[in-house]
Amino acid sequence: MTDIDPWGDVEVADYAATMAQFGIEPIESVADRLPDNRLVRRGIVFGQRDLETVLDARDRGDPFAVMTGLMPSGVFHFGHLAVLEQVRMFQEMGAEVTLCAADIEAYATRDIPIEDARELVVEEYLLNYVALGLDLDATDFYFQSEAGNDHLVRSKLFSRYVTQNEFEATYGTADPGKLASSLTQYADILRPQAPENGGPKPTVVPVGIDQDPHVRLTRDVASRYRETAYLKPASTYHRFMRGLQGGKMSSSDPRSHIALTDGVSEAKRKIDAAKTGGRASVAEHREKGGVVEEDMVFELLAFHLVRDDDELERIRREYESGAMLSGELKQIAKDRLETFLRKHHEKREAARPEVEQYLAERESANAGFEVGT
Amino acid sequence: MTDIDPWGDVEVADYAATMAQFGIEPIESVADRLPDNRLVRRGIVFGQRDLETVLDARDRGDPFAVMTGLMPSGVFHFGHLAVLEQVRMFQEMGAEVTLCAADIEAYATRDIPIEDARELVVEEYLLNYVALGLDLDATDFYFQSEAGNDHLVRSKLFSRYVTQNEFEATYGTADPGKLASSLTQYADILRPQAPENGGPKPTVVPVGIDQDPHVRLTRDVASRYRETAYLKPASTYHRFMRGLQGGKMSSSDPRSHIALTDGVSEAKRKIDAAKTGGRASVAEHREKGGVVEEDMVFELLAFHLVRDDDELERIRREYESGAMLSGELKQIAKDRLETFLRKHHEKREAARPEVEQYLAERESANAGFEVGT
């Protein structure tokens, strides 16, 4: 495929062709230098560009950074976990963490009011992130709408280094909202390297392949901008988990995902309604076995709910052999989900005072963007 | 004409057609509500849009504003005086004054480093403005690169309210540098109405016709933006003084203009070399008279150097009758220039401490944009 639209639906059938076209290397080339990690072992994180720069800095004891953004446009669901797990991995490796809430982009490209974005960021992202182990005190978290004068000025100066042709070739449009948002994103991705943050340092951005256009143009800007030095950011790429009904997992379609704020019974009902790779009858299933590649419940187990590789392999064998029925597979998923969600919801509530204190301290240090009267 | 490019050469032959196309009214419709003013009397300021809103506010005793920007790309010359004189007129009428130094635009569209722009702003604009009577202490002066978080965020939020089609139809391009700069300009023009500046108020922007595209799209943004209320800005339009050689007066061609920092003898040499409406021989000139419409020296007298209408009319009659030769016309200009420039240069130096103190106070209140390492 040649066209990737970071604002559109994602249907990336052919990762290999995309990797070849845009110079993305297999993650295997550096996997032995990474901490043992389920996402890498299972090929969920499949690609990288320039990740050696980050690993070399780690080995030398030099500063390095991981940067990620979040789009406050809906709930936080299991499809979002892969990015956070990588951020945590790099944070544990010693990376500085920069976390950007893309409220300007949500406003300019998805019509989401700044105040609504703020609430979504807290309820759907920060509480879940902290519950999932992110060390917020060691994170440079900010809203784009409070990124500061110099950050926003830089995003405008970057405009000199991208042509309309490049923009249209990369995004398929020069829509003002998308252009202004993208320029902001380039400053976001380069923020760990800003003069006030210590200058150039290797930085990795974990993204879905749909976000690679932003990474590529940021790399161009980094190498062309003349006022301060930037290293081209590195990146990692993860596969998208499919939706529970097959097809795309979407924040705006509750049947397609399980949100980390879903109630236990709601989550179980979604599993019951999920598309499986089971056969038309029990007899046929016993004879031919289930098809894991077409089973969205197995995908959820493989991405996140079963952490032990041997156990996952045992489940796969039993399901493929026909010994395990789809209902039994679903029961495993429901049991795991119940355990996970109950514990996670407790952790969320435990995280609330920390998140609220963190935001209050930020606000007392920062007047914040006043939307208006 | 239908295409006006605010970044390109200006050749506006047919003001009437442009006025009709874009809804610009003759200044005469409101001239009796303005203070007596040479630029208006002589038709140098020829048009306006919505200026009643500003005059009504003045009559009611309500707040109103005048906003202008300056592009730090070269010297300040006589062609720039018409804007400043209008700003002063509105300031004397009671308007709040906002003065923007467009250093982001100079960087993004003309490749001028931020530091160079800063020096040009002080040496070529602020010193001349104060010497020419601007009350800097009563002026909200700022660099775009120090406009502040909220100003810059707003310029990005505005991106949602302009389509690529509108942008291209208005400017003929969706070049990223021009788009990012234009969005900044919309925030600049609306700055007097920002929440932190007291909210909506009638605002007039004195511009050359080449800047009207910015005014028109700002008016669209003002009426479409949903977060805070803005009134559509009003505008006035002035004729461009032609260059001393005929054709365009340009900051980048020293022969075409007299800069307010030109030395007296340099200015006189430029007058000596200027294009006149004189005839090929003295005999022919005595017989047919000079052609004031083709005389760049007469244009300079009429725009700025002769303030008394009766005196200007006397000079015109003598020149057109052939009684006055081009050399004599030039001598009048040289005498006036010498008086003006000597006095102006004194005023510039007298203004320097005030400007430096003003900038120092701004900087202590505002860290400023740090370009680099």
Side-chain angles (χ1 to χ4, degrees):
Chain A
M1 62 160 288
T2 54
D3 288 303
I4 306 178
D5 174 4
W7 297 282
D9 284 354
V10 177
E11 294 285 353
V12 182
D14 185 353
Y15 285 107
T18 306
M19 290 171 72
Q21 184 180 357
F22 295 118
I24 299 172
E25 299 291 322
I27 194 73
E28 285 75 19
S29 57
V30 295
D32 60 350
R33 301 181 64 189
L34 288 167
D36 183 52
N37 182 283
R38 180 183 86 261
L39 299 177
V40 173
R41 282 199 317 270
R42 296 186 184 172
I44 296 166
V45 172
F46 66 89
Q48 55 87 16
R49 191 193 279 124
D50 277 1
L51 191 57
E52 299 87 349
T53 61
V54 164
L55 298 169
D56 291 349
R58 188 260 327 255
D59 293 349
R60 287 193 308 267
D62 288 345
F64 63 102
V66 58
M67 190 278 156
T68 189
L70 59 91
M71 167 68 95
S73 64
V75 298
F76 183 87
H77 55 61
F78 273 87
H80 296 120
L81 271 179
V83 164
L84 179 71
E85 290 198 34
Q86 292 177 79
V87 170
R88 277 193 54 205
M89 177 182 75
F90 288 113
Q91 189 171 46
E92 285 163 11
M93 287 165 63
E96 303 169 12
V97 180
T98 299
L99 174 59
C100 167
D103 58 350
I104 289 179
E105 181 168 1
Y107 183 93
T109 69
R110 301 195 187 188
D111 226 353
I112 294 171
I114 295 285
E115 303 85 342
D116 293 5
R118 183 160 304 245
E119 190 180 331
L120 279 170
V121 167
V122 174
E123 292 297 321
E124 292 298 332
Y125 286 87
L126 291 186
L127 286 172
N128 286 322
Y129 280 15
V130 173
L132 291 164
L134 185 78
D135 181 355
L136 198 56
D137 285 327
T139 297
D140 173 20
F141 165 77
Y142 66 102
F143 293 93
Q144 283 178 331
S145 68
E146 298 175 3
N149 184 81
D150 289 11
H151 183 102
L152 296 164
V153 167
R154 249 176 246 125
S155 84
K156 287 183 175 274
L157 302 188
F158 291 163
S159 68
R160 191 171 88 190
Y161 302 96
V162 190
T163 68
Q164 181 176 354
N165 278 347
E166 289 175 317
F167 203 87
E168 291 185 332
T170 305
Y171 298 112
T173 174
D175 169 77
K178 289 178 178 171
L179 208 154
S181 299
S182 298
L183 291 168
T184 313
Q185 284 222 17
Y186 310 155
D188 295 332
I189 293 174
L190 297 175
R191 184 175 174 104
Q193 304 189 59
E196 63 271 25
N197 292 324
K201 64 176 69 79
T203 303
V204 57
V205 196
V207 292
I209 198 94
D210 60 319
Q211 298 299 311
D212 195 49
H214 292 314
V215 174
R216 293 201 305 275
L217 280 188
T218 304
R219 288 167 61 85
D220 288 339
V221 166
S223 62
R224 294 170 187 171
Y225 186 64
R226 295 201 296 251
E227 308 310 319
T228 56
Y230 288 115
L231 301 180
K232 290 184 182 185
S235 41
T236 60
Y237 302 87
H238 60 273
R239 287 181 202 282
F240 296 105
M241 190 164 34
R242 287 170 291 180
L244 293 171
Q245 310 286 324
K248 186 172 175 271
M249 183 176 291
S250 160
S251 290
S252 56
D253 177 7
R255 297 174 318 145
S256 75
H257 64 248
I258 292 171
L260 271 74
T261 45
D262 276 354
V264 170
S265 52
E266 184 180 4
K268 287 182 176 178
R269 278 196 301 276
K270 290 182 181 178
I271 295 293
D272 282 334
K275 173 175 179 290
T276 73
R279 303 292 178 173
S281 68
V282 171
E284 188 186 346
H285 191 92
R286 293 290 186 209
E287 183 195 333
K288 298 182 178 167
V291 184
V292 293
E293 292 77 9
E294 294 176 16
D295 197 295
M296 301 306 123
V297 178
F298 185 83
E299 184 147 315
L300 184 60
L301 294 176
F303 266 70
H304 293 296
L305 291 179
V306 177
R307 299 284 164 132
D308 183 87
D309 289 356
D310 292 339
E311 185 181 6
L312 184 67
E313 195 47 37
R314 185 183 58 73
I315 292 170
R316 176 202 291 271
R317 275 198 311 269
E318 289 187 21
Y319 194 55
E320 284 186 330
S321 73
M324 184 183 287
L325 297 174
S326 294
E328 293 167 318
L329 189 75
K330 285 183 170 177
Q331 191 57 48
I332 295 174
K334 288 190 281 187
D335 291 345
R336 298 295 167 106
L337 265 179
E338 176 159 5
T339 305
F340 176 87
L341 287 176
R342 286 201 195 287
K343 201 163 165 187
H344 182 73
H345 294 167
E346 277 173 24
K347 286 186 189 165
R348 263 180 65 92
E349 289 317 306
R352 195 176 285 277
E354 178 187 338
V355 169
E356 283 173 0
Q357 190 185 340
Y358 180 88
L359 292 173
E361 282 169 12
R362 275 189 77 261
E363 271 177 38
S364 69
N366 178 343
F369 175 64
E370 292 297 331
V371 171
T373 47
Chain B
M1 60 161 288
T2 53
D3 289 303
I4 306 179
D5 174 5
W7 297 282
D9 284 355
V10 177
E11 293 287 351
V12 182
D14 186 353
Y15 285 106
T18 306
M19 290 172 71
Q21 184 180 357
F22 296 117
I24 298 171
E25 300 289 322
I27 194 73
E28 286 74 19
S29 57
V30 294
D32 60 350
R33 301 181 64 190
L34 288 168
D36 183 52
N37 182 283
R38 180 184 86 260
L39 300 177
V40 174
R41 283 197 318 269
R42 296 185 185 173
I44 296 166
V45 172
F46 65 89
Q48 55 88 14
R49 192 193 278 123
D50 276 1
L51 191 56
E52 299 87 349
T53 61
V54 163
L55 298 169
D56 290 349
R58 188 263 324 258
D59 292 349
R60 287 193 308 267
D62 288 345
F64 63 102
V66 59
M67 190 278 157
T68 189
L70 59 92
M71 166 68 94
S73 64
V75 299
F76 182 88
H77 56 61
F78 274 87
H80 297 120
L81 271 179
V83 164
L84 179 72
E85 289 197 34
Q86 291 177 79
V87 170
R88 277 193 55 204
M89 176 182 76
F90 288 113
Q91 188 170 45
E92 285 162 12
M93 286 165 63
E96 303 169 12
V97 180
T98 298
L99 173 59
C100 168
D103 57 351
I104 289 180
E105 181 168 1
Y107 183 94
T109 70
R110 301 195 187 187
D111 225 354
I112 293 171
I114 294 285
E115 304 85 341
D116 294 5
R118 183 160 304 245
E119 190 181 330
L120 279 170
V121 166
V122 174
E123 292 297 321
E124 292 298 332
Y125 286 86
L126 291 185
L127 286 172
N128 286 321
Y129 279 16
V130 173
L132 291 164
L134 185 77
D135 181 356
L136 199 55
D137 286 327
T139 297
D140 173 19
F141 166 77
Y142 67 101
F143 293 93
Q144 283 179 330
S145 68
E146 297 175 3
N149 183 81
D150 289 11
H151 183 103
L152 296 164
V153 167
R154 248 176 246 126
S155 83
K156 287 183 176 274
L157 301 188
F158 291 162
S159 68
R160 191 171 88 191
Y161 303 95
V162 190
T163 67
Q164 181 176 353
N165 278 348
E166 288 175 318
F167 203 87
E168 291 185 332
T170 304
Y171 298 112
T173 174
D175 169 76
K178 289 177 178 171
L179 208 153
S181 299
S182 298
L183 291 168
T184 313
Q185 284 222 17
Y186 309 156
D188 295 332
I189 293 174
L190 296 175
R191 184 175 174 103
Q193 304 189 59
E196 64 271 25
N197 292 324
K201 64 175 72 78
T203 304
V204 58
V205 195
V207 292
I209 198 96
D210 59 320
Q211 299 299 312
D212 195 48
H214 292 312
V215 174
R216 293 201 305 276
L217 280 188
T218 304
R219 288 167 59 87
D220 288 339
V221 165
S223 62
R224 294 170 187 172
Y225 185 63
R226 293 202 296 252
E227 309 308 320
T228 55
Y230 288 114
L231 301 180
K232 290 185 183 186
S235 41
T236 60
Y237 301 87
H238 59 273
R239 286 180 204 282
F240 296 107
M241 188 164 37
R242 286 171 291 179
L244 292 171
Q245 309 287 323
K248 186 173 175 268
M249 183 176 292
S250 160
S251 290
S252 57
D253 178 7
R255 297 175 318 148
S256 76
H257 65 247
I258 292 171
L260 271 73
T261 47
D262 276 353
V264 169
S265 52
E266 185 182 2
K268 288 182 175 178
R269 278 195 302 274
K270 289 182 181 179
I271 295 294
D272 281 333
K275 174 176 181 291
T276 73
R279 303 292 179 174
S281 68
V282 171
E284 187 187 345
H285 191 93
R286 294 290 185 208
E287 184 195 331
K288 298 182 180 169
V291 185
V292 293
E293 292 78 9
E294 294 176 15
D295 198 296
M296 301 307 123
V297 178
F298 186 83
E299 184 146 315
L300 183 61
L301 294 176
F303 267 70
H304 294 295
L305 291 179
V306 177
R307 299 284 162 130
D308 183 87
D309 289 355
D310 292 338
E311 185 181 6
L312 184 67
E313 195 46 37
R314 184 183 58 74
I315 292 170
R316 175 202 292 271
R317 275 198 312 269
E318 290 188 20
Y319 193 55
E320 284 185 330
S321 74
M324 183 184 288
L325 297 173
S326 294
E328 293 168 317
L329 189 74
K330 285 181 169 178
Q331 192 57 49
I332 295 174
K334 287 190 282 187
D335 291 345
R336 298 295 166 107
L337 265 179
E338 176 160 4
T339 305
F340 176 87
L341 288 176
R342 285 200 195 288
K343 200 163 166 186
H344 182 73
H345 294 167
E346 278 173 24
K347 286 186 190 165
R348 261 180 66 91
E349 289 318 304
R352 195 175 285 276
E354 177 186 339
V355 169
E356 284 173 359
Q357 189 186 341
Y358 181 86
L359 291 174
E361 282 168 13
R362 274 189 77 260
E363 272 177 35
S364 69
N366 177 342
F369 175 64
E370 291 298 330
V371 171
T373 52

